Structures are given as C-alpha cells and as structure tokens.
Amino acid sequence: MDATTSGTPTIQYHHNIPPDQSITTTTTIVVATPIFQRQQRHCFGVSTPGEFPLSANPSIVLHVLSTCNLDPQDLAKLEATCSFFRQPANYAPDFELSLSELAALDMCQKRAIFKPMTTEQKQDFKQRCGGSWKLVLRYLLAGEACCRREKSQAIAGPGHSIAVTSKGVAYSFGSNNLGQLGHDNIEETWRPRPIRTLQGVRIIQAAAGAGRTALISDCGQVYAFGKDSFGEAEYGVHGSKTVGAPKLVESLKNIFVVQAAIGNYFTAVLSREGRVYTFSWGSDGKLGHHADPSDVEPHPLLGALEDIPVVQIAAGYCYLLCLACQPRGMSVYSVGCGLGGKLGHGTKTDEKYPRLIEQFQLLNIQPMVVAAGAWHAAVVGRDGRVCTWGWGRYGCLGHGNEECESTPKVVEALSGVKAVHVATGDYTTFVVSDDGDVYSFGCAESASLGHNPVNDGQGNRHANVLSPELVTSLKQINERVVQISPTNSIYWNAHTFALTESGKLYAFGAGDKGQLGIELNANQTERGNPERVAIDLG
C-alpha cells in the first residue's frame, strides 16, 4: 500500500551532509498513528528543542526548592542563571511571583515569628527588608543563627542560669535572692527546675542580668521576673521591689519581641520587624532619648537604624551593638559609652545615636554574629574570620597582649579556623569553629575558660590566656558544640555553658550559688572541667 495515500503521516529526515556536498537523498519513514495521547505532562516537557523539561509542571520544582532549605543566595543565583526561575509562576498567593520568590515565601511561613503576621504586616516587613521574600528569608535565617531563636539554648547569667529546651520549656537554677529564678520564692537551688507558671507557653529566647531574667515566647510576649527594673546599675538604689514569678511586661504587649539583651544600665529588646527599643539609661540622651533612669516604657532607638532592620542585639556594660541586615549586606552599629574603644570607631568617645562601624568594610568582612562583653566586643564574619576590639585586659581580645583596640582587629591566631559562633563575657572570649571545636582566651579566674588549672609559677592557679587556645576538655566529650554562653558581668564569679548538637549541656567555672546546675561538695566552689548537667535540651 502506498504510504502517501494511506492517511499515515510522514516525517522527512535529511542526512547531515557537509556544506560542500549537495543533498541527493531523502528518506521517508512511516510513523504509526499513536493509540494514546498524553493529556497531562509532569516532568517530561514537550519535544520543542531547548525547552526546560520541568516547565511542564513547575509545582514539582517549587516543592523541591521549598523543602530543600536552600540559602536565599542560592535562590537568587537560580534567578540569575535561568529565565525559567525569573518569570511569574502563576501560583497563589501571588501569581506574579517567580518560583524562587515563592519558595522563599514558603520557607518564611515555617518560622514561628512570621506565621502570625497579617498580610499587611508581611508586606510591610518585605518592604523594610528590601522588597524581596528572599531578603526576608535571609533576615529570618540570620536571626536564628545569631541567637538560636526557636532552638535549645543556655544562658550563664550573673549568679543564676536559664536553660531552654527545643520545645520551649524554660529551666532555671542558681542564685535567687531577688526571685530571678521565677519559682515564686527566694530559695537558692542547684538543681534545674522548670518554671511551672509558664507551662503551656513556648519560650524561644532568654536573657539574664544581675538579679533579673527576661523570657520571650513564640507569640512575641516578654515575661520578666527578679529585680523589678529594666535598667539601673546592678547595685543601684532603684528597683528594690522584686517579682518572684514571671510577669507579662505590659508596656511591650503591642510589640512582637524576638530578642532581649540586658546591660548593666539598660535593657534592649528587638522586634520581629527589626526595630530596637530600649528601657532606662536615657538620661543625657545616652541612647538617643531623654528618659528617667527608672523609666520602664520602651523607647525606639533613633538615628541611623530607624529604617534599617536589625537582626541581633548585644548589650555590654554600658553600650549596645546592633547587627543590621541590608540588601547590600550585613553591618554593625554601636551606641553608648566608648570607654576603652569598645564602640569600634577608632576613638573612646560616647555615641548617643547608633553609628556604623566602618572597619568591617575596610577588612572586607561580612559580619554574621556579634557579641558584646562587659568591656570588649567580637564579631564572626561570613568567611569565618573573628574580629575583636575594646579593652584588652587579661588578653580577652586574643591578640597576644593586653592592649586596647579601638577598631575591630582580626584575631590572626585563629587564621586556620573557620568560626561560626562567638561569645564574650567579663574579659573572656569563646569561639566555636565549624567542626564544633571551642577556643577560649582572656581572664581565667573561676576556671571559666575550660582549661585545666595550671600554676603559672607565681602562685596563680588560673593563668590568663592571651591568645586563643583549644579547650581540650570539651574536645574529649566527642560531640559537636553549637553554643557557648559565658557570664557577662563584672560583679560575679564567672561560669560557662557548652551546648552540644544533641542537646547535652555541660558546665564549668564558678558554682558557689548553684549556677552550674551541678551539686558541689562542701569545700568546692568551682569546676575546672566541663561536667554534664542533668537536663536534656534536645
């Protein structure tokens, strides 16, 4: 039968002939009529040359992007390399969004601080972050990395301690003379106890100061207890009243708070939109406002950060650091007392309004974590470098001496280490590497650095450490350390917590008030080696 008259379609293929030769033959192939024609295409695409195969069902791609926890930078690279990821995906809730933007929005929706937002609040938040859901996701991820928000954590406060499980249950132990443990009494205890009046409330972040504690719930509410003041000096004349059980801070009820930082003269809180508010210490405009020292009303931090979202705050003895998140990158601002050069601007003068620390741009460092010690500060960059500055007493800056540094300086002794976390206390500094190793340096009193006590030949059992040293005692636990928390107060013997990836908590240093969560013998006041606290935070 003649194929041309049978109704069967024909396809002509021309052989691939070199240009200098003419086409002399044509092959005719008979193709049978298909019995079934596919109605729905999934990941096969169509036969059009050059078409991206998965474009037949972008929902598959969106599912992969949303569930693989890609970094916002990776999503941005996808848009830059392929028009398929830039064009509108035609999916709810916004049909104009690209696949990468929708994936970023999906990942934002998984965050506890983002989900309760109204549609209008989310859009305002998006514009504040730079007009992209990828930038919003970057902001949220940066906050989680800095503060272990919504994860387990331990806080080594001045004389007392707070531990929060991954499920949001808060435990407290140690000194309790002002009710700072939240158990509605003033009984000191070494045994970690859950704060039962908060049963049913999920805690996502904690802060501890001298005689006072602040806990933040996943609903953005702040509960405070202990000394009934947000700010005056640790041994000031104000704030004689105490609160023995967690009390909702009414003045913050209209602000969704995600972090608190307690300094010696003030307290600061950070809202989920990245706005900073401060209490007290407003006299003489020290924090950009003129409030009475006993004022308990939150005041927004004015100046350069009014329109820039802040990811993390860190409070020192009389100053505040803010890690800001902008479309062009991360930056650090400082405000407060400049004594010792701890504000990082190359001077020792005070700053009434937040001022950008420009040195990081000169060092080509993208700050990712910021820590404020009593008199010195530290930052970890995206590339793993560590910078310190401020008062270098006892070697707390890690530069091999006790000199002050008025601008951030890279710790060269850690050049072979990629750091992911840094913590500062009263003249102590801890650095956690990407493989879970811990390095410490500075004041070795109370054995809070974690190094085995060694006599330096001059009768000092705890010799100060001027350069970073590996904490071998933590290396021996054979588990990755994800958080270090040292005491950040000049009035108390220091102690330190090390939290592992599986949720095990180890403590060392001073334990005279039970703040280690470990029972000591009658003649003991400290533990030189890390010891497991009988509480599982995982």
Side-chain angles (χ1 to χ4, degrees), residues 148 151-154 163-166 421 432-433 435-438 473-485 496-508 530-533 535-538:
R148 293 192 59 79
K151 299 178 182 178
S152 58
Q153 57 189 267
V164 181
T165 72
S166 59
H421 176 67
V432 181
S433 71
D435 58 5
D437 286 341
V438 178
S473 57
L474 285 174
K475 186 81 171 175
Q476 294 170 2
I477 67 177
N478 294 321
E479 196 169 345
R480 183 188 182 91
V481 173
V482 295
Q483 185 208 6
I484 289 285
S485 177
T496 305
F497 287 128
L499 179 62
T500 70
E501 198 167 32
S502 67
K504 296 184 180 68
L505 185 62
Y506 292 84
F508 49 95
E531 186 166 335
R532 174 83 185 275
V533 181
I535 179 176
D536 184 8
L537 303 184

Side-chain angles (χ1 to χ4, degrees), residues 271-285:
S271 76
R272 65 180 171 186
E273 298 85 8
R275 293 185 174 89
V276 181
Y277 298 83
T278 60
F279 297 81
S280 191
W281 203 49
S283 58
D284 299 324

